[in-house]
Amino acid sequence: QVQPVESGGGLVQAGGSLRLSCAASGSISSINAVGWHRQVLGKFREMVATITSDGITNYADSVKGRFSISRDDAKNTVYLQMNSLKPEDTSVYYCNILSGQLVYWGQGTQVTVSS
């Protein structure tokens, strides 16, 4: 019943910034948490950042101090602000929503950081 849709990816130089958006479509009865994950070819999916319904955030060590997750409930959107981007941040970024003990995944948005 919930379909996250990611946007905001693109090509950026190292040191630059991007803001990813995750908009939820469909009916949402309850949301426990929203997260951003990333996955590159040949690698396991990595948790990047999460935010719970009560506003608690968590970040992967590799992005702490550079990325921040936030939400705009009025727009049904969660954001991932990415600053000081590095080439190793290059990946497909996926939004996921935890609702009623079910996890819904978006299709992803490509982020490419050039050196």
Side-chain angles (χ1 to χ4, degrees), residues 25 44 53 56 113:
S25 62
F44 288 104
S53 59
I56 298 175
V113 184

Side-chain angles (χ1 to χ4, degrees), residues 1-2 28-34 53 96-105:
Q1 298 184 34
V2 178
I28 302 177
S29 58
S30 64
I31 296 178
N32 302 110
V34 178
S53 59
N96 72 283
I97 297 174
L98 175 62
S99 178
Q101 303 185 44
L102 297 176
V103 180
Y104 303 88
W105 289 93

Side-chain angles (χ1 to χ4, degrees), residues 48-112:
V48 176
T50 60
I51 184 167
T52 66
S53 59
D54 56 351
I56 298 175
T57 59
N58 190 34
Y59 300 92
D61 289 341
S62 60
V63 306
K64 286 181 179 178
R66 300 188 298 119
F67 291 9
S68 64
I69 187 170
S70 62
R71 66 189 182 199
D72 186 337
D73 292 339
K75 297 181 179 180
N76 296 315
T77 301
V78 171
Y79 303 98
L80 182 67
Q81 179 66 47
M82 305 185 295
N83 299 321
S84 301
L85 283 163
K86 304 175 181 179
E88 52 263 43
D89 294 319
T90 296
S91 184
V92 178
Y93 285 73
Y94 299 90
C95 177
N96 72 283
I97 297 174
L98 175 62
S99 178
Q101 303 185 44
L102 297 176
V103 180
Y104 303 88
W105 289 93
Q107 295 300 308
T109 184
Q110 175 70 48
V111 172
T112 302

Side-chain angles (χ1 to χ4, degrees), residues 26-42:
S27 62
I28 302 177
S29 58
S30 64
I31 296 178
N32 302 110
V34 178
W36 286 94
H37 294 68
R38 64 188 182 187
Q39 186 173 22
V40 299
L41 183 64

